[in-house]
Amino acid sequence: RDVVDAVRDEAPDLVFLTGDLITHDWHDAQTLVGDLSRLQPRLGALAVFGNHDYRNRLETEIERLLEQAGVRVLR
């Protein structure tokens, strides 16, 4: 939450999340959704997956959660 607040204070045009959004399980991404939805950069928020995000091959679940938060996943 503190990181999102700091980013919002900078009022960026674009936010890019560079992967490894989870550590152990795709459910870890659920804790991010509320905070990430508060970002609302002018040009949007984009994300790519890191190696941890492919754990158990459930990255589609993480993508679904990110999209709920307004983050577009690039593949």
Side-chain angles (χ1 to χ4, degrees):
R1 180 169 291 159
D2 292 340
V3 171
V4 170
D5 290 340
V7 170
R8 280 181 55 109
D9 289 347
E10 295 296 321
D13 292 327
L14 179 68
V15 171
F16 196 81
L17 305 170
T18 59
D20 288 346
L21 302 168
I22 68 167
T23 302
H24 300 291
D25 188 81
W26 73 268
H27 290 99
D28 295 343
Q30 290 175 318
T31 60
L32 299 172
V33 173
D35 289 328
L36 291 177
S37 65
R38 295 185 313 112
L39 284 173
Q40 301 181 344
R42 187 174 64 84
L43 298 175
L46 304 172
V48 295
F49 291 137
N51 63 312
H52 288 223
D53 303 317
Y54 289 105
R55 192 175 306 266
N56 297 322
R57 302 301 301 167
L58 293 171
E59 67 275 5
T60 55
E61 297 299 328
I62 300 169
E63 182 175 12
R64 182 181 55 80
L65 290 171
L66 290 173
E67 288 179 352
Q68 287 175 0
V71 177
R72 180 176 171 211
V73 176
L74 304 177
R75 290 195 178 231

